[in-house]
Amino acid sequence: MSELSVNHLLGIKYLMESDIQLIFETADHFKEVINRSIKKVPSLRDITIANIFFENSTRTKLSFELAEKRLSADVINFSASQSSVKKGETLIDTVNNILSMKVDMVVMRHPNPGAGIFLSKHVKASIVNAGDGAHEHPTQALLDSYSIRERLGDVAGKNVVIVGDILHSRVALSNIFALKLQGANVKVCGPKTLLPKYVASLGVGVETNLRKALEWCDVANMLRIQNERLDISYFPTTREYTQQFGVNKQLLDSLDKEIVIMHPGPINRGVEITSDVADSKQSIILNQVENGVAIRMAVIYLLASKIKQ
Protein backbone atom coordinates (compact mmCIF):
# COMPACT_ATOMS: atom_id res chain seq x y z
CA MET A 1 0.00 0.00 0.00
CA SER A 2 1.49 3.32 -1.06
CA GLU A 3 -1.14 5.73 0.30
CA LEU A 4 -3.20 6.15 3.45
CA SER A 5 -6.78 4.85 3.56
CA VAL A 6 -7.89 8.13 5.22
CA ASN A 7 -7.86 11.81 4.18
CA HIS A 8 -7.50 13.09 7.76
CA LEU A 9 -5.71 11.85 10.87
CA LEU A 10 -8.52 12.18 13.40
CA GLY A 11 -7.74 9.20 15.60
CA ILE A 12 -6.05 5.79 15.60
CA LYS A 13 -9.43 4.04 15.58
CA TYR A 14 -9.97 5.19 11.99
CA LEU A 15 -6.67 3.69 10.76
CA MET A 16 -5.89 0.21 9.48
CA GLU A 17 -2.77 -1.71 10.46
CA SER A 18 -1.40 -1.16 6.94
CA ASP A 19 -1.73 2.63 7.45
CA ILE A 20 0.44 2.42 10.58
CA GLN A 21 3.08 0.35 8.77
CA LEU A 22 3.12 2.84 5.87
CA ILE A 23 3.58 5.75 8.31
CA PHE A 24 6.45 3.86 10.01
CA GLU A 25 8.19 3.05 6.71
CA THR A 26 7.87 6.70 5.63
CA ALA A 27 9.16 7.85 9.04
CA ASP A 28 12.22 5.59 8.59
CA HIS A 29 13.18 7.66 5.52
CA PHE A 30 12.54 10.97 7.28
CA LYS A 31 14.50 9.92 10.36
CA GLU A 32 17.50 9.47 8.08
CA VAL A 33 16.81 12.96 6.63
CA ILE A 34 16.68 14.74 10.01
CA ASN A 35 19.99 13.16 11.04
CA ARG A 36 21.81 14.52 7.96
CA SER A 37 23.75 17.77 7.94
CA ILE A 38 21.09 19.29 5.61
CA LYS A 39 17.87 18.42 7.42
CA LYS A 40 15.40 19.75 4.85
CA VAL A 41 13.61 18.22 1.86
CA PRO A 42 11.56 20.22 -0.68
CA SER A 43 8.61 17.75 -0.64
CA LEU A 44 5.85 20.19 0.40
CA ARG A 45 7.03 23.47 -1.11
CA ASP A 46 3.53 24.24 -2.46
CA ILE A 47 1.57 23.25 0.69
CA THR A 48 0.44 25.66 3.43
CA ILE A 49 -0.29 24.30 6.90
CA ALA A 50 -2.03 26.08 9.79
CA ASN A 51 -1.27 25.03 13.38
CA ILE A 52 -4.35 25.90 15.43
CA PHE A 53 -3.92 25.29 19.16
CA PHE A 54 -6.80 25.99 21.54
CA GLU A 55 -4.87 24.40 24.43
CA ASN A 56 -1.35 24.88 25.77
CA SER A 57 1.35 22.79 24.16
CA THR A 58 5.14 22.77 24.04
CA ARG A 59 6.46 19.52 22.61
CA THR A 60 3.59 18.75 20.23
CA LYS A 61 3.41 22.26 18.77
CA LEU A 62 7.20 22.52 18.34
CA SER A 63 7.37 19.01 16.89
CA PHE A 64 4.64 19.69 14.30
CA GLU A 65 6.13 23.05 13.35
CA LEU A 66 9.60 21.57 12.94
CA ALA A 67 8.22 18.64 10.91
CA GLU A 68 6.41 21.06 8.57
CA LYS A 69 9.50 23.24 8.10
CA ARG A 70 11.72 20.19 7.49
CA LEU A 71 9.33 19.37 4.60
CA SER A 72 9.57 22.98 3.28
CA ALA A 73 5.86 23.69 3.84
CA ASP A 74 4.62 27.23 4.50
CA VAL A 75 3.53 27.39 8.13
CA ILE A 76 1.15 29.72 9.96
CA ASN A 77 0.65 29.50 13.73
CA PHE A 78 -2.60 30.41 15.43
CA SER A 79 -2.99 30.74 19.20
CA ALA A 80 -6.58 30.85 20.47
CA SER A 81 -5.67 32.95 23.50
CA GLN A 82 -4.71 35.88 21.24
CA SER A 83 -7.48 35.49 18.66
CA SER A 84 -11.06 36.41 17.82
CA VAL A 85 -12.18 33.20 19.57
CA LYS A 86 -11.97 35.35 22.70
CA LYS A 87 -14.53 37.65 21.04
CA GLY A 88 -17.03 34.82 20.54
CA GLU A 89 -16.08 33.56 17.07
CA THR A 90 -17.09 29.92 16.42
CA LEU A 91 -14.65 27.14 15.58
CA ILE A 92 -15.96 26.77 11.99
CA ASP A 93 -15.78 30.53 11.35
CA THR A 94 -12.26 30.68 12.75
CA VAL A 95 -11.04 27.83 10.56
CA ASN A 96 -12.92 29.00 7.44
CA ASN A 97 -11.32 32.44 7.80
CA ILE A 98 -7.92 30.77 7.90
CA LEU A 99 -8.79 28.50 4.95
CA SER A 100 -9.87 31.50 2.87
CA MET A 101 -6.19 32.42 2.91
CA LYS A 102 -5.64 29.20 0.86
CA VAL A 103 -4.44 26.84 3.59
CA ASP A 104 -4.27 23.15 2.63
CA MET A 105 -3.97 21.42 5.99
CA VAL A 106 -4.97 22.17 9.57
CA VAL A 107 -3.21 20.74 12.63
CA MET A 108 -5.54 21.30 15.58
CA ARG A 109 -5.50 20.78 19.33
CA HIS A 110 -8.81 21.44 21.07
CA PRO A 111 -10.17 20.88 24.60
CA ASN A 112 -13.40 19.29 23.29
CA PRO A 113 -13.44 15.58 22.30
CA GLY A 114 -14.46 15.11 18.65
CA ALA A 115 -13.54 18.67 17.58
CA GLY A 116 -11.39 17.36 14.69
CA ILE A 117 -14.14 15.02 13.46
CA PHE A 118 -16.67 17.87 13.59
CA LEU A 119 -14.31 20.14 11.67
CA SER A 120 -13.50 17.53 8.99
CA LYS A 121 -17.21 17.40 8.07
CA HIS A 122 -17.48 21.17 7.61
CA VAL A 123 -14.26 22.40 5.99
CA LYS A 124 -12.34 21.53 2.82
CA ALA A 125 -8.91 20.87 4.27
CA SER A 126 -7.02 17.91 5.59
CA ILE A 127 -7.28 17.79 9.40
CA VAL A 128 -4.63 16.40 11.75
CA ASN A 129 -5.78 15.91 15.33
CA ALA A 130 -3.03 17.08 17.71
CA GLY A 131 -5.17 16.11 20.72
CA ASP A 132 -8.88 16.59 21.41
CA GLY A 133 -9.73 16.76 25.10
CA ALA A 134 -9.45 13.38 26.82
CA HIS A 135 -10.29 11.58 23.56
CA GLU A 136 -7.34 10.86 21.23
CA HIS A 137 -3.79 11.99 20.45
CA PRO A 138 -2.94 9.89 17.38
CA THR A 139 0.56 11.18 16.53
CA GLN A 140 1.70 10.54 20.13
CA ALA A 141 0.50 6.92 19.93
CA LEU A 142 2.23 6.49 16.55
CA LEU A 143 5.54 7.83 17.83
CA ASP A 144 5.26 5.66 20.95
CA SER A 145 4.74 2.50 18.87
CA TYR A 146 7.50 3.57 16.48
CA SER A 147 9.87 4.01 19.45
CA ILE A 148 8.99 0.52 20.75
CA ARG A 149 9.59 -0.91 17.27
CA GLU A 150 12.94 0.87 17.12
CA ARG A 151 14.08 -0.40 20.55
CA LEU A 152 12.60 -3.95 20.54
CA GLY A 153 12.42 -4.74 16.80
CA ASP A 154 8.66 -5.21 16.64
CA VAL A 155 5.48 -4.24 18.46
CA ALA A 156 3.54 -7.47 17.83
CA GLY A 157 3.57 -9.86 20.79
CA LYS A 158 5.15 -7.35 23.19
CA ASN A 159 3.65 -6.77 26.66
CA VAL A 160 2.98 -3.07 27.23
CA VAL A 161 1.58 -1.58 30.43
CA ILE A 162 0.23 1.98 30.56
CA VAL A 163 0.50 3.35 34.11
CA GLY A 164 -1.20 6.35 35.67
CA ASP A 165 -4.18 8.58 34.95
CA ILE A 166 -5.94 6.50 32.28
CA LEU A 167 -9.31 8.17 32.87
CA HIS A 168 -8.28 11.63 31.63
CA SER A 169 -5.57 10.62 29.15
CA ARG A 170 -5.96 10.94 25.37
CA VAL A 171 -2.51 9.34 25.07
CA ALA A 172 -3.72 6.18 26.84
CA LEU A 173 -6.73 5.70 24.55
CA SER A 174 -4.78 6.26 21.32
CA ASN A 175 -2.00 3.97 22.55
CA ILE A 176 -4.46 1.20 23.38
CA PHE A 177 -5.94 1.40 19.86
CA ALA A 178 -2.50 1.52 18.17
CA LEU A 179 -0.91 -1.27 20.22
CA LYS A 180 -3.90 -3.61 19.87
CA LEU A 181 -4.00 -2.98 16.11
CA GLN A 182 -0.35 -4.06 15.85
CA GLY A 183 -0.81 -7.22 17.93
CA ALA A 184 0.67 -6.13 21.27
CA ASN A 185 -0.68 -7.27 24.64
CA VAL A 186 -1.83 -4.29 26.68
CA LYS A 187 -2.57 -3.74 30.36
CA VAL A 188 -3.47 -0.57 32.23
CA CYS A 189 -2.39 0.10 35.81
CA GLY A 190 -3.40 2.82 38.23
CA PRO A 191 -5.72 3.66 41.12
CA LYS A 192 -9.24 2.32 40.51
CA THR A 193 -10.54 5.90 40.62
CA LEU A 194 -8.36 6.75 37.58
CA LEU A 195 -9.32 3.70 35.50
CA PRO A 196 -12.38 4.16 33.25
CA LYS A 197 -15.27 1.73 33.89
CA TYR A 198 -15.28 0.60 30.24
CA VAL A 199 -11.52 0.04 29.89
CA ALA A 200 -11.69 -3.80 29.97
CA SER A 201 -14.09 -3.69 26.99
CA LEU A 202 -11.21 -2.30 24.89
CA GLY A 203 -9.51 -5.72 25.18
CA VAL A 204 -6.89 -4.69 27.73
CA GLY A 205 -5.98 -6.21 31.08
CA VAL A 206 -6.47 -4.25 34.30
CA GLU A 207 -3.88 -4.34 37.09
CA THR A 208 -3.88 -2.26 40.28
CA ASN A 209 -0.56 -3.60 41.62
CA LEU A 210 2.36 -1.75 40.01
CA ARG A 211 4.97 -4.40 40.83
CA LYS A 212 2.90 -7.17 39.20
CA ALA A 213 2.38 -4.97 36.13
CA LEU A 214 6.12 -4.26 35.78
CA GLU A 215 7.02 -7.95 36.21
CA TRP A 216 4.62 -8.80 33.35
CA CYS A 217 5.59 -6.07 30.87
CA ASP A 218 8.36 -5.46 28.32
CA VAL A 219 7.50 -1.75 28.15
CA ALA A 220 6.02 0.60 30.76
CA ASN A 221 4.49 3.83 29.47
CA MET A 222 4.26 6.18 32.46
CA LEU A 223 1.56 8.87 32.31
CA ARG A 224 1.41 12.00 34.44
CA ILE A 225 -1.57 12.95 36.58
CA GLN A 226 -3.67 15.35 34.49
CA ASN A 227 -4.10 17.92 37.25
CA GLU A 228 -5.70 20.43 34.86
CA ARG A 229 -8.55 17.94 34.20
CA LEU A 230 -9.13 16.82 37.79
CA ASP A 231 -12.41 18.36 38.97
CA ILE A 232 -12.51 16.28 42.18
CA SER A 233 -9.89 14.49 44.30
CA TYR A 234 -9.23 11.01 42.85
CA PHE A 235 -6.62 9.96 45.46
CA PRO A 236 -5.69 11.22 48.95
CA THR A 237 -2.31 12.90 48.27
CA THR A 238 0.34 13.08 45.55
CA ARG A 239 2.77 11.49 48.04
CA GLU A 240 0.50 8.47 48.48
CA TYR A 241 0.04 8.16 44.71
CA THR A 242 3.83 8.13 44.25
CA GLN A 243 4.26 5.44 46.92
CA GLN A 244 1.73 3.19 45.13
CA PHE A 245 2.28 3.98 41.44
CA GLY A 246 5.59 5.84 41.10
CA VAL A 247 8.58 4.06 39.54
CA ASN A 248 11.98 4.56 41.14
CA LYS A 249 15.38 3.03 40.33
CA GLN A 250 15.22 0.68 43.31
CA LEU A 251 11.97 -0.84 42.01
CA LEU A 252 13.37 -1.11 38.46
CA ASP A 253 16.57 -2.78 39.63
CA SER A 254 14.63 -5.29 41.74
CA LEU A 255 12.86 -6.72 38.65
CA ASP A 256 14.30 -9.91 37.14
CA LYS A 257 14.49 -8.34 33.65
CA GLU A 258 15.23 -4.99 32.02
CA ILE A 259 12.09 -3.20 30.90
CA VAL A 260 11.79 -0.15 28.64
CA ILE A 261 10.50 3.06 30.27
CA MET A 262 8.50 5.56 28.20
CA HIS A 263 6.75 8.84 29.01
CA PRO A 264 4.76 11.11 26.66
CA GLY A 265 5.76 14.23 28.65
CA PRO A 266 5.66 16.57 30.36
CA ILE A 267 7.28 14.59 33.19
CA ASN A 268 6.45 15.37 36.80
CA ARG A 269 9.78 14.17 38.19
CA GLY A 270 9.44 12.55 41.58
CA VAL A 271 5.75 11.76 41.04
CA GLU A 272 5.22 9.10 38.33
CA ILE A 273 8.96 8.50 37.81
CA THR A 274 12.09 9.65 39.62
CA SER A 275 14.89 11.53 37.86
CA ASP A 276 17.25 8.54 37.95
CA VAL A 277 14.64 6.46 36.09
CA ALA A 278 13.89 9.22 33.54
CA ASP A 279 17.60 9.62 32.80
CA SER A 280 18.51 5.88 32.90
CA LYS A 281 19.59 3.77 29.92
CA GLN A 282 16.24 1.93 30.13
CA SER A 283 14.41 5.17 29.35
CA ILE A 284 13.64 6.06 25.72
CA ILE A 285 11.90 9.36 26.55
CA LEU A 286 14.23 11.55 24.44
CA ASN A 287 14.09 8.99 21.59
CA GLN A 288 10.32 9.49 21.63
CA VAL A 289 10.78 13.25 21.19
CA GLU A 290 13.17 12.75 18.25
CA ASN A 291 10.88 10.15 16.67
CA GLY A 292 7.96 12.55 17.06
CA VAL A 293 9.40 14.82 14.37
CA ALA A 294 9.95 11.91 11.92
CA ILE A 295 6.45 10.49 12.57
CA ARG A 296 4.78 13.88 12.10
CA MET A 297 6.78 14.47 8.91
CA ALA A 298 5.51 11.10 7.64
CA VAL A 299 1.86 11.84 8.55
CA ILE A 300 1.92 15.33 6.98
CA TYR A 301 3.72 14.09 3.85
CA LEU A 302 1.29 11.19 3.31
CA LEU A 303 -1.81 13.34 3.85
CA ALA A 304 -0.41 16.11 1.62
CA SER A 305 0.21 13.63 -1.18
CA LYS A 306 -3.54 12.90 -1.16
CA ILE A 307 -4.32 16.66 -1.36
CA LYS A 308 -2.11 16.95 -4.45
CA GLN A 309 -3.99 14.23 -6.34
Side-chain angles (χ1 to χ4, degrees):
M1 190 172 112
S2 60
E3 67 169 33
L4 294 175
S5 64
V6 291
N7 294 321
H8 312 276
L9 182 65
L10 302 172
I12 300 291
K13 67 176 165 223
Y14 306 107
L15 297 182
M16 299 190 299
E17 206 260 338
S18 55
D19 290 323
I20 293 180
Q21 294 312 321
L22 176 61
I23 291 167
F24 286 177
E25 286 160 18
T26 311
D28 286 338
H29 296 298
F30 286 133
K31 185 142 190 210
E32 185 262 315
V33 167
I34 60 177
N35 282 297
R36 296 193 311 220
S37 54
I38 298 173
K39 298 174 174 63
K40 225 169 177 179
V41 285
S43 311
L44 301 188
R45 261 198 310 223
D46 51 346
I47 296 286
T48 305
I49 303 172
N51 298 317
I52 305 180
F53 280 67
F54 292 86
E55 271 188 330
N56 294 337
S57 170
T58 306
R59 268 163 320 285
T60 304
K61 191 173 183 182
L62 284 175
S63 187
F64 266 112
E65 193 175 339
L66 194 55
E68 292 150 9
K69 287 179 174 176
R70 293 276 187 258
L71 291 165
S72 304
D74 292 322
V75 181
I76 53 171
N77 289 305
F78 169 94
S79 173
S81 60
Q82 299 148 7
S83 73
S84 293
V85 171
K86 289 284 180 197
K87 302 173 186 173
E89 188 172 67
T90 66
L91 176 61
I92 291 177
D93 283 342
T94 298
V95 176
N96 274 327
N97 272 297
I98 292 167
L99 293 184
S100 65
M101 301 174 202
K102 306 303 175 210
V103 169
D104 304 290
M105 190 181 295
V106 172
V107 174
M108 182 173 76
R109 170 167 289 186
H110 200 279
N112 295 339
I117 298 161
F118 172 74
L119 200 60
S120 69
K121 292 174 180 171
H122 290 89
V123 302
K124 293 178 179 175
S126 191
I127 309 294
V128 180
N129 177 9
D132 57 336
H135 179 227
E136 278 222 49
H137 191 354
T139 55
Q140 181 68 47
L142 289 168
L143 74 89
D144 286 349
S145 288
Y146 184 76
S147 300
I148 294 171
R149 167 182 176 263
E150 184 179 68
R151 173 59 73 99
L152 300 179
D154 199 4
V155 177
K158 298 297 182 288
N159 295 338
V160 182
V161 67
I162 303 169
V163 182
D165 183 359
I166 312 297
L167 183 63
H168 301 98
S169 175
R170 52 188 168 217
V171 174
L173 189 59
S174 285
N175 258 296
I176 289 167
F177 288 143
L179 292 164
K180 295 290 293 177
L181 198 55
Q182 295 168 87
N185 308 308
V186 186
K187 278 188 181 179
V188 293
C189 177
K192 284 185 176 174
T193 51
L194 290 174
L195 298 176
K197 293 189 183 79
Y198 64 82
V199 74
S201 68
L202 296 173
V204 303
V206 178
E207 180 58 76
T208 52
N209 183 307
L210 178 64
R211 183 170 190 92
K212 284 184 184 172
L214 296 179
E215 285 170 347
W216 169 82
C217 76
D218 301 305
V219 179
N221 199 345
M222 308 300 299
L223 306 180
R224 72 184 175 89
I225 300 299
Q226 306 258 324
N227 289 311
E228 69 276 17
R229 298 186 204 280
L230 302 190
D231 46 357
I232 58 171
S233 182
Y234 287 84
F235 46 85
T237 63
T238 301
R239 184 166 174 260
E240 189 168 323
Y241 175 86
T242 301
Q243 287 174 336
Q244 296 288 319
F245 297 101
V247 173
N248 56 43
K249 199 73 170 75
Q250 188 182 354
L251 176 56
L252 265 194
D253 291 343
S254 70
L255 301 174
D256 57 6
K257 60 177 178 179
E258 269 207 3
I259 63 169
V260 176
I261 298 291
M262 305 177 72
H263 197 303
I267 305 171
N268 290 324
R269 287 173 182 256
V271 181
E272 63 271 11
I273 53 174
T274 55
S275 286
D276 50 3
V277 171
D279 303 329
S280 70
K281 65 181 193 320
Q282 287 167 259
S283 159
I284 58 168
I285 296 168
L286 291 179
N287 303 65
Q288 288 172 263
V289 178
E290 181 186 347
N291 290 336
V293 178
I295 283 289
R296 290 175 176 119
M297 284 175 79
V299 166
I300 291 163
Y301 173 78
L302 290 165
L303 288 174
S305 61
K306 296 198 83 168
I307 294 170
K308 290 177 177 182
Q309 286 173 9

